[in-house]
Short mmCIF file of all heavy atoms in Angstrom, two decimals:
data_model
loop_
_atom_site.label_atom_id
_atom_site.label_comp_id
_atom_site.label_asym_id
_atom_site.label_seq_id
_atom_site.Cartn_x
_atom_site.Cartn_y
_atom_site.Cartn_z
N ARG A 1 -72.10 -94.79 123.67
CA ARG A 1 -71.22 -94.65 124.82
C ARG A 1 -71.10 -93.17 125.15
O ARG A 1 -70.96 -92.35 124.29
CB ARG A 1 -69.86 -95.23 124.44
CG ARG A 1 -68.87 -95.15 125.56
CD ARG A 1 -67.61 -95.85 125.21
NE ARG A 1 -67.89 -97.26 125.09
CZ ARG A 1 -67.03 -98.15 124.68
NH1 ARG A 1 -65.83 -97.77 124.32
NH2 ARG A 1 -67.33 -99.41 124.61
N SER A 2 -71.14 -92.88 126.40
CA SER A 2 -71.07 -91.50 126.84
C SER A 2 -69.89 -91.33 127.79
O SER A 2 -69.60 -92.22 128.58
CB SER A 2 -72.37 -91.14 127.54
OG SER A 2 -72.41 -89.78 127.83
N TYR A 3 -69.20 -90.21 127.68
CA TYR A 3 -68.05 -89.92 128.53
C TYR A 3 -68.35 -88.69 129.36
O TYR A 3 -68.88 -87.72 128.86
CB TYR A 3 -66.80 -89.65 127.67
CG TYR A 3 -66.47 -90.77 126.74
CD1 TYR A 3 -66.93 -90.76 125.43
CD2 TYR A 3 -65.72 -91.85 127.17
CE1 TYR A 3 -66.64 -91.80 124.57
CE2 TYR A 3 -65.43 -92.90 126.32
CZ TYR A 3 -65.88 -92.86 125.02
OH TYR A 3 -65.60 -93.89 124.18
N ARG A 4 -67.99 -88.73 130.65
CA ARG A 4 -68.20 -87.57 131.51
C ARG A 4 -66.88 -87.21 132.19
O ARG A 4 -66.15 -88.08 132.63
CB ARG A 4 -69.25 -87.86 132.56
CG ARG A 4 -70.61 -88.07 131.97
CD ARG A 4 -71.72 -88.00 132.98
NE ARG A 4 -71.96 -86.70 133.53
CZ ARG A 4 -72.51 -85.68 132.89
NH1 ARG A 4 -72.86 -85.80 131.65
NH2 ARG A 4 -72.71 -84.53 133.48
N TRP A 5 -66.60 -85.94 132.25
CA TRP A 5 -65.42 -85.45 132.94
C TRP A 5 -65.71 -84.06 133.45
O TRP A 5 -66.00 -83.16 132.67
CB TRP A 5 -64.23 -85.44 131.99
CG TRP A 5 -62.96 -85.01 132.61
CD1 TRP A 5 -62.17 -85.78 133.43
CD2 TRP A 5 -62.31 -83.76 132.50
NE1 TRP A 5 -61.08 -85.07 133.82
CE2 TRP A 5 -61.13 -83.82 133.26
CE3 TRP A 5 -62.60 -82.58 131.82
CZ2 TRP A 5 -60.26 -82.76 133.37
CZ3 TRP A 5 -61.73 -81.52 131.94
CH2 TRP A 5 -60.57 -81.62 132.70
N ARG A 6 -65.70 -83.91 134.74
CA ARG A 6 -65.95 -82.60 135.39
C ARG A 6 -67.18 -81.90 134.83
O ARG A 6 -67.15 -80.74 134.46
CB ARG A 6 -64.73 -81.70 135.26
CG ARG A 6 -63.55 -82.22 136.03
CD ARG A 6 -62.45 -81.22 136.05
NE ARG A 6 -61.27 -81.82 136.66
CZ ARG A 6 -60.15 -81.19 136.83
NH1 ARG A 6 -60.02 -79.94 136.45
NH2 ARG A 6 -59.13 -81.78 137.38
N GLY A 7 -68.25 -82.63 134.72
CA GLY A 7 -69.51 -82.03 134.29
C GLY A 7 -69.67 -81.86 132.80
O GLY A 7 -70.69 -81.40 132.34
N THR A 8 -68.68 -82.24 132.01
CA THR A 8 -68.77 -82.14 130.56
C THR A 8 -69.03 -83.53 130.01
O THR A 8 -68.44 -84.49 130.47
CB THR A 8 -67.44 -81.61 129.97
OG1 THR A 8 -67.18 -80.35 130.55
CG2 THR A 8 -67.53 -81.45 128.48
N SER A 9 -69.91 -83.66 129.05
CA SER A 9 -70.15 -84.99 128.50
C SER A 9 -69.92 -84.99 127.00
O SER A 9 -70.04 -83.97 126.33
CB SER A 9 -71.58 -85.43 128.79
OG SER A 9 -72.49 -84.60 128.13
N ALA A 10 -69.54 -86.14 126.48
CA ALA A 10 -69.34 -86.34 125.05
C ALA A 10 -69.92 -87.70 124.72
O ALA A 10 -69.94 -88.60 125.54
CB ALA A 10 -67.86 -86.29 124.70
N SER A 11 -70.39 -87.85 123.52
CA SER A 11 -71.03 -89.08 123.11
C SER A 11 -70.34 -89.64 121.88
O SER A 11 -70.13 -88.91 120.92
CB SER A 11 -72.45 -88.73 122.75
OG SER A 11 -73.33 -89.64 123.12
N ALA A 12 -70.00 -90.92 121.89
CA ALA A 12 -69.40 -91.57 120.73
C ALA A 12 -70.49 -92.22 119.90
O ALA A 12 -71.29 -92.98 120.41
CB ALA A 12 -68.39 -92.60 121.18
N GLU A 13 -70.54 -91.89 118.65
CA GLU A 13 -71.54 -92.44 117.75
C GLU A 13 -70.86 -93.30 116.71
O GLU A 13 -69.90 -92.88 116.07
CB GLU A 13 -72.31 -91.31 117.04
CG GLU A 13 -73.04 -90.37 117.96
CD GLU A 13 -74.18 -91.03 118.67
OE1 GLU A 13 -74.79 -91.96 118.11
OE2 GLU A 13 -74.47 -90.63 119.81
N GLY A 14 -71.32 -94.51 116.51
CA GLY A 14 -70.80 -95.36 115.45
C GLY A 14 -69.32 -95.64 115.59
O GLY A 14 -68.87 -96.13 116.61
N ASP A 15 -68.56 -95.25 114.57
CA ASP A 15 -67.13 -95.53 114.53
C ASP A 15 -66.28 -94.30 114.83
O ASP A 15 -65.14 -94.23 114.37
CB ASP A 15 -66.75 -96.09 113.15
CG ASP A 15 -67.33 -97.47 112.92
OD1 ASP A 15 -67.47 -98.20 113.91
OD2 ASP A 15 -67.63 -97.80 111.77
N ASP A 16 -66.80 -93.34 115.58
CA ASP A 16 -66.02 -92.15 115.92
C ASP A 16 -64.72 -92.55 116.60
O ASP A 16 -64.73 -93.25 117.60
CB ASP A 16 -66.80 -91.23 116.86
CG ASP A 16 -67.99 -90.58 116.20
OD1 ASP A 16 -68.09 -90.66 114.97
OD2 ASP A 16 -68.81 -90.00 116.93
N ARG A 17 -63.60 -92.11 116.04
CA ARG A 17 -62.30 -92.41 116.64
C ARG A 17 -61.89 -91.32 117.63
O ARG A 17 -61.15 -91.57 118.57
CB ARG A 17 -61.24 -92.56 115.55
CG ARG A 17 -61.48 -93.79 114.69
CD ARG A 17 -60.51 -93.91 113.54
NE ARG A 17 -59.12 -94.00 113.92
CZ ARG A 17 -58.52 -95.10 114.39
NH1 ARG A 17 -59.22 -96.19 114.56
NH2 ARG A 17 -57.25 -95.09 114.69
N VAL A 18 -62.39 -90.11 117.41
CA VAL A 18 -62.12 -88.98 118.29
C VAL A 18 -63.45 -88.29 118.57
O VAL A 18 -64.24 -88.07 117.67
CB VAL A 18 -61.13 -87.98 117.63
CG1 VAL A 18 -60.90 -86.78 118.52
CG2 VAL A 18 -59.81 -88.67 117.32
N VAL A 19 -63.67 -87.95 119.84
CA VAL A 19 -64.94 -87.34 120.25
C VAL A 19 -64.65 -86.04 120.98
O VAL A 19 -63.78 -85.99 121.85
CB VAL A 19 -65.72 -88.30 121.18
CG1 VAL A 19 -67.02 -87.65 121.65
CG2 VAL A 19 -66.01 -89.61 120.49
N HIS A 20 -65.38 -84.97 120.60
CA HIS A 20 -65.28 -83.66 121.25
C HIS A 20 -66.51 -83.46 122.12
O HIS A 20 -67.62 -83.75 121.68
CB HIS A 20 -65.27 -82.54 120.20
CG HIS A 20 -64.06 -82.54 119.34
ND1 HIS A 20 -63.12 -81.55 119.42
CD2 HIS A 20 -63.62 -83.38 118.39
CE1 HIS A 20 -62.16 -81.79 118.56
NE2 HIS A 20 -62.45 -82.91 117.91
N GLY A 21 -66.31 -82.96 123.31
CA GLY A 21 -67.42 -82.62 124.20
C GLY A 21 -67.01 -81.46 125.08
O GLY A 21 -66.30 -81.65 126.06
N GLY A 22 -67.39 -80.26 124.68
CA GLY A 22 -66.96 -79.08 125.45
C GLY A 22 -65.45 -78.93 125.39
O GLY A 22 -64.86 -78.90 124.32
N ASN A 23 -64.78 -78.90 126.56
CA ASN A 23 -63.31 -78.78 126.60
C ASN A 23 -62.63 -80.13 126.55
O ASN A 23 -61.42 -80.19 126.70
CB ASN A 23 -62.80 -78.14 127.88
CG ASN A 23 -63.61 -77.06 128.42
OD1 ASN A 23 -64.60 -76.68 127.86
ND2 ASN A 23 -63.19 -76.53 129.52
N VAL A 24 -63.38 -81.21 126.43
CA VAL A 24 -62.81 -82.55 126.48
C VAL A 24 -62.71 -83.13 125.08
O VAL A 24 -63.66 -83.09 124.31
CB VAL A 24 -63.67 -83.49 127.36
CG1 VAL A 24 -63.12 -84.90 127.35
CG2 VAL A 24 -63.75 -82.95 128.77
N ILE A 25 -61.53 -83.66 124.75
CA ILE A 25 -61.34 -84.41 123.51
C ILE A 25 -60.81 -85.77 123.93
O ILE A 25 -59.84 -85.86 124.68
CB ILE A 25 -60.33 -83.73 122.58
CG1 ILE A 25 -60.74 -82.28 122.28
CG2 ILE A 25 -60.18 -84.52 121.29
CD1 ILE A 25 -59.69 -81.50 121.51
N THR A 26 -61.47 -86.83 123.49
CA THR A 26 -61.05 -88.16 123.87
C THR A 26 -61.00 -89.06 122.65
O THR A 26 -61.65 -88.79 121.65
CB THR A 26 -61.98 -88.74 124.96
OG1 THR A 26 -61.43 -89.97 125.45
CG2 THR A 26 -63.37 -88.99 124.43
N GLY A 27 -60.22 -90.12 122.75
CA GLY A 27 -60.10 -91.08 121.65
C GLY A 27 -60.73 -92.41 122.03
O GLY A 27 -60.89 -92.72 123.21
N ARG A 28 -61.07 -93.18 121.02
CA ARG A 28 -61.71 -94.47 121.24
C ARG A 28 -60.80 -95.45 121.96
O ARG A 28 -61.25 -96.26 122.74
CB ARG A 28 -62.16 -95.06 119.91
CG ARG A 28 -62.87 -96.37 120.06
CD ARG A 28 -63.54 -96.83 118.80
NE ARG A 28 -64.70 -96.06 118.44
CZ ARG A 28 -65.91 -96.21 118.98
NH1 ARG A 28 -66.10 -97.08 119.94
NH2 ARG A 28 -66.91 -95.49 118.57
N GLY A 29 -59.52 -95.41 121.69
CA GLY A 29 -58.59 -96.34 122.33
C GLY A 29 -57.19 -96.14 121.80
O GLY A 29 -56.91 -95.17 121.11
N GLY A 30 -56.32 -97.07 122.14
CA GLY A 30 -54.92 -96.97 121.74
C GLY A 30 -54.71 -96.86 120.25
O GLY A 30 -53.81 -96.16 119.78
N SER A 31 -55.55 -97.53 119.48
CA SER A 31 -55.37 -97.50 118.02
C SER A 31 -55.73 -96.16 117.40
O SER A 31 -55.40 -95.90 116.25
CB SER A 31 -56.20 -98.61 117.37
OG SER A 31 -57.57 -98.36 117.55
N SER A 32 -56.39 -95.29 118.14
CA SER A 32 -56.75 -93.98 117.60
C SER A 32 -55.86 -92.86 118.14
O SER A 32 -56.15 -91.69 117.94
CB SER A 32 -58.22 -93.66 117.91
OG SER A 32 -58.42 -93.54 119.30
N SER A 33 -54.76 -93.21 118.80
CA SER A 33 -53.94 -92.20 119.46
C SER A 33 -53.30 -91.21 118.49
O SER A 33 -53.20 -90.03 118.80
CB SER A 33 -52.86 -92.85 120.34
OG SER A 33 -52.02 -93.66 119.55
N ILE A 34 -52.89 -91.67 117.31
CA ILE A 34 -52.31 -90.73 116.33
C ILE A 34 -53.39 -89.80 115.81
O ILE A 34 -53.18 -88.58 115.71
CB ILE A 34 -51.60 -91.48 115.19
CG1 ILE A 34 -50.38 -92.22 115.73
CG2 ILE A 34 -51.20 -90.52 114.07
CD1 ILE A 34 -49.67 -93.09 114.72
N ASP A 35 -54.57 -90.34 115.50
CA ASP A 35 -55.68 -89.49 115.06
C ASP A 35 -56.04 -88.48 116.13
O ASP A 35 -56.30 -87.31 115.84
CB ASP A 35 -56.91 -90.33 114.73
CG ASP A 35 -56.71 -91.22 113.52
OD1 ASP A 35 -55.89 -90.87 112.65
OD2 ASP A 35 -57.36 -92.27 113.44
N LEU A 36 -56.05 -88.91 117.38
CA LEU A 36 -56.35 -88.01 118.50
C LEU A 36 -55.31 -86.90 118.58
O LEU A 36 -55.66 -85.72 118.69
CB LEU A 36 -56.39 -88.79 119.81
CG LEU A 36 -56.57 -87.97 121.08
CD1 LEU A 36 -57.89 -87.23 121.07
CD2 LEU A 36 -56.47 -88.87 122.31
N GLY A 37 -54.04 -87.25 118.50
CA GLY A 37 -52.98 -86.24 118.55
C GLY A 37 -53.07 -85.24 117.42
O GLY A 37 -52.91 -84.03 117.61
N LEU A 38 -53.34 -85.74 116.21
CA LEU A 38 -53.48 -84.83 115.06
C LEU A 38 -54.70 -83.94 115.21
O LEU A 38 -54.68 -82.76 114.85
CB LEU A 38 -53.56 -85.64 113.76
CG LEU A 38 -52.26 -86.35 113.35
CD1 LEU A 38 -52.52 -87.30 112.18
CD2 LEU A 38 -51.18 -85.35 113.00
N ASP A 39 -55.77 -84.48 115.76
CA ASP A 39 -56.98 -83.69 115.98
C ASP A 39 -56.72 -82.58 117.00
O ASP A 39 -57.15 -81.44 116.80
CB ASP A 39 -58.12 -84.59 116.44
CG ASP A 39 -59.45 -83.90 116.37
OD1 ASP A 39 -59.96 -83.70 115.24
OD2 ASP A 39 -59.99 -83.54 117.44
N VAL A 40 -56.01 -82.90 118.06
CA VAL A 40 -55.67 -81.88 119.07
C VAL A 40 -54.79 -80.79 118.44
O VAL A 40 -54.99 -79.61 118.70
CB VAL A 40 -54.98 -82.53 120.29
CG1 VAL A 40 -54.40 -81.48 121.22
CG2 VAL A 40 -55.97 -83.40 121.05
N ALA A 41 -53.85 -81.20 117.58
CA ALA A 41 -53.02 -80.21 116.88
C ALA A 41 -53.88 -79.27 116.05
O ALA A 41 -53.64 -78.06 116.01
CB ALA A 41 -51.99 -80.91 116.00
N GLU A 42 -54.90 -79.81 115.39
CA GLU A 42 -55.79 -78.97 114.59
C GLU A 42 -56.60 -78.02 115.47
O GLU A 42 -56.77 -76.85 115.14
CB GLU A 42 -56.73 -79.83 113.75
CG GLU A 42 -57.66 -79.00 112.90
CD GLU A 42 -58.54 -79.82 111.98
OE1 GLU A 42 -58.33 -81.04 111.86
OE2 GLU A 42 -59.45 -79.23 111.38
N VAL A 43 -57.09 -78.51 116.60
CA VAL A 43 -57.89 -77.67 117.50
C VAL A 43 -57.03 -76.54 118.08
O VAL A 43 -57.45 -75.39 118.13
CB VAL A 43 -58.51 -78.52 118.63
CG1 VAL A 43 -59.10 -77.64 119.72
CG2 VAL A 43 -59.58 -79.45 118.07
N LEU A 44 -55.81 -76.88 118.51
CA LEU A 44 -54.94 -75.88 119.15
C LEU A 44 -54.27 -74.96 118.14
O LEU A 44 -53.98 -73.80 118.46
CB LEU A 44 -53.88 -76.57 120.00
CG LEU A 44 -54.39 -77.36 121.20
CD1 LEU A 44 -53.24 -78.04 121.92
CD2 LEU A 44 -55.17 -76.46 122.15
N LEU A 45 -53.98 -75.46 116.94
CA LEU A 45 -53.25 -74.68 115.94
C LEU A 45 -54.15 -74.42 114.74
O LEU A 45 -54.91 -73.48 114.74
CB LEU A 45 -51.96 -75.39 115.57
CG LEU A 45 -51.04 -75.67 116.78
CD1 LEU A 45 -49.94 -76.65 116.42
CD2 LEU A 45 -50.48 -74.38 117.33
N ASP A 46 -54.07 -75.26 113.71
CA ASP A 46 -54.95 -75.13 112.55
C ASP A 46 -54.81 -76.37 111.68
O ASP A 46 -53.92 -77.20 111.88
CB ASP A 46 -54.64 -73.87 111.75
CG ASP A 46 -53.19 -73.79 111.28
OD1 ASP A 46 -52.72 -74.75 110.62
OD2 ASP A 46 -52.53 -72.77 111.57
N ALA A 47 -55.69 -76.50 110.69
CA ALA A 47 -55.71 -77.69 109.82
C ALA A 47 -54.43 -77.80 108.99
O ALA A 47 -53.96 -78.91 108.74
CB ALA A 47 -56.93 -77.66 108.91
N GLY A 48 -53.85 -76.69 108.59
CA GLY A 48 -52.62 -76.72 107.81
C GLY A 48 -51.46 -77.31 108.59
O GLY A 48 -50.67 -78.10 108.07
N THR A 49 -51.37 -76.94 109.86
CA THR A 49 -50.32 -77.49 110.72
C THR A 49 -50.55 -78.98 110.93
O THR A 49 -49.61 -79.78 110.88
CB THR A 49 -50.29 -76.76 112.08
OG1 THR A 49 -50.08 -75.37 111.84
CG2 THR A 49 -49.20 -77.30 112.98
N ARG A 50 -51.79 -79.37 111.17
CA ARG A 50 -52.12 -80.78 111.34
C ARG A 50 -51.73 -81.59 110.10
O ARG A 50 -51.12 -82.64 110.19
CB ARG A 50 -53.60 -80.95 111.63
CG ARG A 50 -53.98 -82.38 111.95
CD ARG A 50 -54.90 -83.07 110.96
NE ARG A 50 -55.94 -82.25 110.46
CZ ARG A 50 -56.28 -82.24 109.18
NH1 ARG A 50 -55.64 -82.96 108.29
NH2 ARG A 50 -57.24 -81.48 108.75
N THR A 51 -52.02 -81.06 108.92
CA THR A 51 -51.67 -81.74 107.67
C THR A 51 -50.16 -81.85 107.52
O THR A 51 -49.65 -82.90 107.12
CB THR A 51 -52.28 -80.99 106.47
OG1 THR A 51 -53.71 -80.95 106.64
CG2 THR A 51 -51.96 -81.67 105.17
N ALA A 52 -49.45 -80.80 107.84
CA ALA A 52 -47.98 -80.82 107.75
C ALA A 52 -47.38 -81.87 108.68
O ALA A 52 -46.46 -82.60 108.31
CB ALA A 52 -47.41 -79.44 108.06
N ILE A 53 -47.91 -81.96 109.90
CA ILE A 53 -47.42 -82.96 110.85
C ILE A 53 -47.69 -84.36 110.32
O ILE A 53 -46.81 -85.23 110.34
CB ILE A 53 -48.09 -82.77 112.23
CG1 ILE A 53 -47.63 -81.46 112.87
CG2 ILE A 53 -47.78 -83.96 113.14
CD1 ILE A 53 -48.44 -81.06 114.09
N ALA A 54 -48.90 -84.60 109.81
CA ALA A 54 -49.25 -85.93 109.29
C ALA A 54 -48.36 -86.31 108.11
O ALA A 54 -47.93 -87.46 108.00
CB ALA A 54 -50.72 -85.97 108.89
N LYS A 55 -48.06 -85.35 107.25
CA LYS A 55 -47.18 -85.63 106.11
C LYS A 55 -45.75 -85.92 106.56
O LYS A 55 -45.10 -86.80 106.02
CB LYS A 55 -47.23 -84.48 105.11
CG LYS A 55 -48.52 -84.46 104.34
CD LYS A 55 -48.56 -83.36 103.32
CE LYS A 55 -49.88 -83.40 102.57
NZ LYS A 55 -50.01 -82.34 101.59
N GLN A 56 -45.27 -85.18 107.56
CA GLN A 56 -43.93 -85.44 108.09
C GLN A 56 -43.85 -86.83 108.70
O GLN A 56 -42.83 -87.49 108.62
CB GLN A 56 -43.57 -84.42 109.17
CG GLN A 56 -43.03 -83.14 108.65
CD GLN A 56 -42.57 -82.24 109.79
OE1 GLN A 56 -43.24 -82.13 110.81
NE2 GLN A 56 -41.43 -81.63 109.63
N MET A 57 -44.93 -87.26 109.32
CA MET A 57 -44.98 -88.59 109.93
C MET A 57 -45.16 -89.68 108.89
O MET A 57 -45.02 -90.85 109.20
CB MET A 57 -46.15 -88.68 110.91
CG MET A 57 -46.02 -87.82 112.12
SD MET A 57 -47.54 -87.78 113.11
CE MET A 57 -47.94 -89.48 113.28
N ASP A 58 -45.51 -89.28 107.67
CA ASP A 58 -45.84 -90.23 106.62
C ASP A 58 -46.97 -91.15 107.10
O ASP A 58 -46.92 -92.37 106.96
CB ASP A 58 -44.61 -91.04 106.20
CG ASP A 58 -44.81 -91.75 104.87
OD1 ASP A 58 -45.67 -91.31 104.09
OD2 ASP A 58 -44.11 -92.76 104.64
N TYR A 59 -47.99 -90.53 107.68
CA TYR A 59 -49.13 -91.24 108.25
C TYR A 59 -50.13 -91.56 107.13
O TYR A 59 -50.83 -90.68 106.65
CB TYR A 59 -49.77 -90.40 109.35
CG TYR A 59 -50.89 -91.09 110.08
CD1 TYR A 59 -50.70 -92.33 110.67
CD2 TYR A 59 -52.14 -90.49 110.20
CE1 TYR A 59 -51.72 -92.96 111.34
CE2 TYR A 59 -53.16 -91.11 110.88
CZ TYR A 59 -52.95 -92.35 111.45
OH TYR A 59 -53.97 -92.97 112.12
N PRO A 60 -50.21 -92.82 106.71
CA PRO A 60 -51.02 -93.16 105.54
C PRO A 60 -52.52 -93.21 105.78
O PRO A 60 -53.29 -93.26 104.84
CB PRO A 60 -50.50 -94.55 105.15
CG PRO A 60 -50.05 -95.14 106.44
CD PRO A 60 -49.51 -93.99 107.24
N TYR A 61 -52.96 -93.17 107.04
CA TYR A 61 -54.39 -93.33 107.33
C TYR A 61 -55.09 -92.01 107.62
O TYR A 61 -56.28 -92.00 107.87
CB TYR A 61 -54.57 -94.27 108.53
CG TYR A 61 -53.83 -95.57 108.33
CD1 TYR A 61 -52.67 -95.83 109.03
CD2 TYR A 61 -54.26 -96.49 107.40
CE1 TYR A 61 -51.96 -97.00 108.82
CE2 TYR A 61 -53.57 -97.67 107.18
CZ TYR A 61 -52.42 -97.92 107.91
OH TYR A 61 -51.73 -99.07 107.70
N GLY A 62 -54.39 -90.91 107.58
CA GLY A 62 -54.99 -89.62 107.89
C GLY A 62 -56.11 -89.23 106.97
O GLY A 62 -57.09 -88.62 107.38
N GLY A 63 -56.00 -89.59 105.69
CA GLY A 63 -57.04 -89.24 104.72
C GLY A 63 -58.39 -89.86 105.06
O GLY A 63 -59.43 -89.26 104.87
N ALA A 64 -58.36 -91.06 105.61
CA ALA A 64 -59.59 -91.73 105.98
C ALA A 64 -60.29 -91.01 107.13
O ALA A 64 -61.51 -90.94 107.19
CB ALA A 64 -59.31 -93.17 106.39
N PHE A 65 -59.49 -90.42 108.02
CA PHE A 65 -60.06 -89.74 109.17
C PHE A 65 -60.34 -88.27 108.91
O PHE A 65 -61.41 -87.76 109.21
CB PHE A 65 -59.13 -89.88 110.39
CG PHE A 65 -59.67 -89.27 111.64
CD1 PHE A 65 -60.73 -89.85 112.30
CD2 PHE A 65 -59.14 -88.10 112.14
CE1 PHE A 65 -61.25 -89.28 113.46
CE2 PHE A 65 -59.63 -87.54 113.29
CZ PHE A 65 -60.69 -88.12 113.94
N PHE A 66 -59.36 -87.58 108.29
CA PHE A 66 -59.50 -86.13 108.09
C PHE A 66 -59.99 -85.77 106.70
O PHE A 66 -60.46 -84.67 106.48
CB PHE A 66 -58.16 -85.44 108.35
CG PHE A 66 -57.71 -85.56 109.77
CD1 PHE A 66 -56.68 -86.41 110.12
CD2 PHE A 66 -58.34 -84.84 110.77
CE1 PHE A 66 -56.27 -86.53 111.44
CE2 PHE A 66 -57.94 -84.95 112.09
CZ PHE A 66 -56.90 -85.81 112.42
N GLY A 67 -59.82 -86.65 105.73
CA GLY A 67 -60.31 -86.40 104.39
C GLY A 67 -59.42 -85.54 103.51
O GLY A 67 -59.77 -85.21 102.40
N ASP A 68 -58.23 -85.15 104.00
CA ASP A 68 -57.39 -84.28 103.18
C ASP A 68 -55.90 -84.60 103.26
O ASP A 68 -55.10 -83.91 102.70
CB ASP A 68 -57.60 -82.81 103.55
CG ASP A 68 -57.18 -82.49 104.96
OD1 ASP A 68 -56.85 -83.41 105.73
OD2 ASP A 68 -57.19 -81.30 105.32
N VAL A 69 -55.52 -85.62 103.98
CA VAL A 69 -54.09 -85.95 104.13
C VAL A 69 -53.73 -87.01 103.12
O VAL A 69 -54.44 -87.95 102.90
CB VAL A 69 -53.78 -86.45 105.57
CG1 VAL A 69 -52.32 -86.85 105.68
CG2 VAL A 69 -54.10 -85.38 106.56
#
């Protein structure tokens, strides 16, 4: 699946829940919205902040996506 927005394209491979393409970050669907939000936090801030947010949320699935929560 390919996504296009203002001349930027991104491609989803396999089970990608979040896809980066240039300035565009998109999620697979509603079920990936928390992963998408945490990923945006990491891009805009840093991985430490993203981890702190996930721990505050008590988000049990972050480790499967990010590998460190």
Side-chain angles (χ1 to χ4, degrees):
R1 180 174 294 174
S2 188
Y3 304 94
R4 294 195 69 71
W5 183 77
R6 293 188 187 181
T8 302
S9 65
S11 219
E13 300 292 330
D15 291 329
D16 291 348
R17 293 176 60 77
V18 177
V19 178
H20 293 249
N23 322 359
V24 177
I25 304 173
T26 188
R28 182 169 289 281
S31 66
S32 65
S33 60
I34 293 175
D35 293 333
L36 175 62
L38 291 171
D39 193 73
V40 170
E42 180 176 351
V43 168
L44 295 177
L45 303 167
D46 57 54
T49 302
R50 186 245 320 136
T51 301
I53 293 169
K55 286 182 179 178
Q56 277 185 317
M57 292 171 50
D58 196 23
Y59 185 54
Y61 308 106
F65 183 72
F66 295 106
D68 64 352
V69 177

